[in-house]
Amino acid sequence: MESMHSDDAGVIVVGGGHAGVEAAHAAAKMGVPTLLLTGDPSRICTLPCNPSIGGSAKGQLVREIDALGGAMGVLADACSLHARFLNESKGPAVRALRQLMDKPSYNRMALRLLQTLPALRIEAAMVEELIVSAGEVRGVRCADGRSFYARRVVLATGTFLGGKLFRGEEVQPGGRHAEAPAIGLSHALRALGFSMQRLKTGTPPRVDRASVEYGAMRVQEPSATPLLFSRRSEAHFAGEQLPCYLIDTNERTHALVRENLHRSPLYGLDLIRGIGPRYCPSIEDKVIKFAHNPTHQLFIEPEGWDEPTLYVGGFSTSLPADVQLAMLQTLPGMERCEMLRAGYAVEYDMVAPTELDDTLQTRRIAGLYHCGQLNGTSGYEEAAAQGLVAGANAALATRGREPLRIARSEGYIGVLVDDLVGKGVDEPYRMLTSRAEHRVLLRHDNADRRLTPHGRDIGLVDDSQWMVFTEEIALLDRAVSDAERLRLPVREIGSERFQAPPTLAEALRRPQVRVAELRPWLPEDLSADLAERLEIEVKIEGYVKREEQAIVQAARRERLVIPADFAYEGISALSSEAKEKLARQRPRTLGAAGRIPGVAPTDVAILSLHLQRPEHGSAAVTR
């Protein structure tokens, strides 16, 4: 096949996982000719580890991807075999949806969705090298000798970059089970001067669903009504809804771990050098680092409607296969289980995300964007969110348009990007609600209100999605306004009593009053979903106003833009550490500068004074 010329592809995306799929989907949906290169197109979005999408903070990311016009929410809704809201008792700010996928369906539907995009072309290829000229990317070279050319390249390599798989004494090259790693590209990035390090993740064993005794486990039923990520999805179940199960490890399980540490590539064999995830540790790490815990909870989850496998969540391990089976058979209901595939650890290369600006473009090579696990994150949702940002910004750059930037106060995606490029990572980064200081504003229910206008502005939200959004927001705003005026003809609602007939809003502000009790006084055209949003907006209005005031107070510092060529070394009052880190990371705003580790509040104050001098008058502009 002949190589593509630069004008044949506006954007090249390397990698077909969640980051690559969202990047390619965004760029192509925005009408930019896009080429997706991946080792095996039939294995796009295979969900190689757990079968879930969403969860605490991650569910908010999926809602935000959907609000911007991305793919993950629609795909998840179409493949969901189990759905539940988490943290419902803790309030709307941390309430999050989690779904389990039918893995084969997710893979098929992701590929089918991409194939519907006229501007997207998919090729099987392993990229080995970047074509760079005068500090700008020009394309890629592949292992089979082909070259493809474009002025915007998005790398979404997942765990494939220099990947190695570990199970006991067995070590083999691989990006994941039965797939080869990308070795040449890792060398190429080092040769270009990128700062790199090794990270590690892992996956648990899979067991035959017909070989376990479910009666010995605690059942976790799915929601009785459809729960959806996307406003574009129809409210029905994708298929039969299946239960999950909970069990606990025990002393026999832990004893087997301790007795076989000498066979562990992480401990006794000392083969793994990469840093593993703090918030998803292996069973070896749990037993050793949390020795005071007599048990650890495990989640037994189906991987598909017709799949024979169960995923043993919380049981990630790289111990030898025979030890894994023995450990499994100490668990309740697993005494006679058959292990269909043993777990393993994977170690891979990442590039320091501090090499990027807030559009996810590298500072070192113009036109080159990084996203997903290449940036040191863990999780499908974090990868997909970065993929959308990188793909959209690559597409916008081809048209000379302003990039997509999401503030920390606008979305978890903004928190994610700002944390990565401003603070960097020294272990796999996972999104947590505690990372978002404005989380009362960044809820599951209002992602569309926050971000759909951004998606529309960049051309990612189509007419159909925009029409539904504008109609729903108009209905909701009218309902909120009416709630403040409509006085109810009662003084008692459930257990709540009022001295005088309350307005609908006054009634809703009582913690014990739920919107379902007020249904007779709500507009007939207000759906159950919008009625729930009405309740949330009214109940937490005071918290929201206080948070918005705090954001306004901090906005001036956040909006003060630092010139790209600002000479930090010329400010003698700055600490040496601040000068070094500011010069290396080149934060775009004063607010971003203040979030860099090692830059003290005094450094920020000094920098602010210098930026407001007449010679830097152009710096004080808003984003």
Side-chain angles (χ1 to χ4, degrees):
M1 174 187 161
E2 294 182 2
S3 299
M4 296 179 68
H5 298 291
S6 59
D7 58 353
D8 290 332
V11 175
I12 291 175
V13 177
V14 180
H18 295 281
V21 163
E22 289 291 347
H25 175 265
K29 191 177 177 183
M30 292 164 66
V32 174
T34 303
L35 173 63
L36 173 60
L37 301 176
T38 184
D40 183 355
S42 71
R43 293 178 64 86
I44 278 175
C45 273
T46 54
L47 298 167
C49 192
N50 67 76
S52 73
I53 297 289
S56 183
K58 293 169 175 281
Q60 279 89 331
L61 284 174
V62 182
R63 284 283 296 117
E64 292 179 2
I65 291 166
D66 183 71
L68 287 164
M72 179 174 266
V74 172
L75 293 173
D77 290 342
C79 306
S80 174
L81 56 77
H82 178 109
R84 295 174 60 245
F85 267 112
L86 309 182
N87 304 325
E88 287 201 272
S89 64
K90 297 181 180 179
V94 295
R95 181 174 179 247
L97 179 60
R98 182 175 186 264
Q99 296 178 345
L100 295 183
M101 301 295 103
D102 176 72
K103 285 188 170 185
S105 293
Y106 197 95
N107 164 233
R108 287 193 303 269
M109 297 197 75
L111 181 57
R112 191 179 306 159
L113 175 63
L114 294 183
Q115 289 171 336
T116 66
L117 298 170
L120 179 63
R121 175 182 167 196
I122 304 173
E123 289 280 349
M126 288 295 288
V127 172
E128 292 282 288
E129 188 180 350
L130 295 172
I131 301 171
V132 177
S133 176
E136 298 181 2
V137 73
R138 288 289 186 265
V140 299
R141 291 194 180 94
C142 303
D144 59 10
R146 291 180 294 170
S147 295
F148 298 97
Y149 296 90
R151 292 179 178 269
R152 303 291 183 272
V153 174
V154 179
L155 295 185
T157 52
T159 59
F160 284 76
L161 210 62
K164 283 185 181 179
L165 307 182
F166 299 84
R167 183 186 294 134
E169 297 85 355
E170 302 173 32
V171 182
Q172 62 185 51
R176 59 189 179 205
H177 176 67
E179 293 191 68
I183 302 297
L185 185 55
S186 191
H187 294 325
L189 289 168
R190 281 194 175 87
L192 288 168
F194 283 101
S195 174
M196 302 179 72
Q197 67 185 78
R198 298 286 278 177
L199 293 182
K200 168 253 177 189
T201 187
T203 192
R206 309 310 200 266
V207 300
D208 189 335
R209 65 195 295 177
S211 68
V212 304
E213 295 291 337
Y214 295 104
M217 304 177 182
R218 305 187 299 279
V219 67
Q220 191 174 66
E221 297 288 355
S223 169
T225 58
L227 300 177
L228 305 172
F229 280 117
S230 178
R231 300 285 183 196
R232 292 170 280 170
S233 299
E234 294 184 12
H236 62 72
F237 290 122
E240 181 186 1
Q241 297 297 285
L242 305 179
C244 298
Y245 300 88
L246 303 176
I247 58 175
D248 298 300
T249 61
N250 53 59
E251 180 50 39
R252 289 186 299 141
T253 321
H254 299 184
L256 281 169
V257 172
R258 290 190 293 267
E259 290 165 7
N260 288 280
L261 282 179
H262 64 287
R263 302 179 67 190
S264 165
L266 187 61
Y267 284 92
L269 298 174
D270 197 26
L271 298 174
I272 296 175
R273 293 288 180 267
I275 305 299
R278 177 186 302 268
Y279 299 103
C280 188
S282 66
I283 189 64
E284 297 96 301
D285 276 339
K286 288 179 181 179
V287 170
I288 300 306
K289 295 180 180 179
F290 305 98
H292 57 283
N293 288 345
T295 64
H296 295 284
Q297 189 174 75
L298 306 178
F299 302 85
I300 311 303
E301 300 173 333
E303 294 198 301
W305 285 301
D306 299 316
E307 289 296 285
T309 53
L310 291 173
Y311 178 88
V312 187
F315 207 70
S316 172
T317 179
S318 56
L319 284 165
D322 62 301
V323 178
Q324 293 187 36
L325 178 59
M327 290 161 56
L328 286 169
Q329 292 182 342
T330 67
L331 302 173
M334 296 270 202
E335 293 84 356
R336 297 178 182 82
C337 76
E338 295 182 28
M339 184 174 69
L340 298 181
R341 194 178 88 197
Y344 61 88
V346 56
E347 187 182 66
Y348 56 95
D349 288 332
M350 61 154 285
V351 176
T354 50
E355 294 266 7
L356 310 174
D357 64 22
D358 60 0
T359 71
L360 297 186
Q361 181 178 211
T362 69
R363 295 188 179 91
R364 192 176 298 273
I365 305 294
L368 179 64
Y369 297 77
H370 291 178
C371 56
Q373 285 175 290
L374 177 61
N375 287 341
T377 60
S378 68
Y380 306 145
E381 303 83 359
E382 291 88 342
Q386 294 170 72
L388 186 149
V389 172
N393 281 330
L396 290 166
T398 67
R399 294 173 171 171
R401 290 192 55 191
E402 283 295 306
L404 170 66
R405 290 188 173 98
I406 298 171
R408 294 181 70 93
S409 59
E410 290 181 303
Y412 276 88
I413 294 176
V415 175
L416 170 65
V417 171
D418 189 62
D419 279 354
L420 291 176
V421 305
K423 299 178 182 179
V425 301
D426 53 15
E427 61 186 39
Y429 177 104
R430 175 176 178 169
M431 180 49 68
L432 306 168
T433 55
S434 60
R435 298 189 192 275
E437 64 272 31
H438 305 301
R439 56 188 171 273
V440 73
L441 303 180
L442 311 182
R443 307 184 306 276
H444 172 96
D445 65 280
N446 71 346
D448 56 345
R449 187 189 285 276
R450 292 183 278 116
L451 296 179
T452 296
H454 284 303
R456 181 65 172 180
D457 181 60
I458 64 174
L460 194 48
V461 168
D462 59 25
D463 291 344
S464 174
Q465 183 178 357
W466 182 249
M467 183 177 69
V468 171
F469 165 73
T470 54
E471 289 176 353
E472 288 192 341
I473 292 301
L475 279 172
L476 178 59
D477 287 345
R478 187 168 69 245
V480 171
S481 177
D482 290 347
E484 296 290 351
R485 297 194 302 267
L486 177 63
R487 197 159 294 279
L488 305 181
V490 295
R491 296 191 183 191
E492 186 174 318
I493 302 172
S495 61
E496 294 291 323
R497 290 174 174 78
F498 300 85
Q499 291 184 344
T503 64
L504 194 147
E506 288 170 344
L508 270 180
R509 290 190 183 104
R510 294 285 181 95
Q512 302 306 318
V513 175
R514 303 305 304 270
V515 74
E517 300 173 273
L518 306 178
R519 188 75 239 192
W521 299 288
L522 295 178
E524 291 184 2
D525 57 352
L526 195 69
S527 67
D529 178 63
L530 289 179
E532 183 182 49
R533 293 180 67 176
L534 166 67
E535 178 178 2
I536 292 170
E537 292 202 7
V538 170
K539 281 189 186 300
I540 68 171
E541 179 188 18
Y543 298 103
V544 168
K545 285 183 176 178
R546 283 199 294 272
E547 193 64 41
E548 288 173 342
Q549 289 170 358
I551 290 170
V552 169
Q553 292 170 2
R556 184 173 180 276
R557 189 175 79 173
E558 191 63 40
R559 291 198 302 264
L560 194 63
V561 175
I562 304 173
D565 59 351
F566 190 82
Y568 297 102
E569 66 278 4
I571 305 177
S572 59
L574 286 176
S575 69
S576 297
E577 183 180 7
K579 288 180 188 177
E580 176 189 337
K581 292 187 174 180
L582 289 166
R584 183 174 68 241
Q585 296 183 216
R586 292 282 164 189
R588 183 172 173 273
T589 67
L590 188 64
R595 290 189 289 275
I596 296 175
V599 177
T602 51
D603 294 315
V604 174
I606 292 165
L607 185 56
S608 176
L609 289 173
H610 279 265
L611 287 171
Q612 293 177 68
R613 288 181 173 178
E615 62 267 32
H616 298 303
S618 61
V621 296
T622 59
R623 290 193 279 179

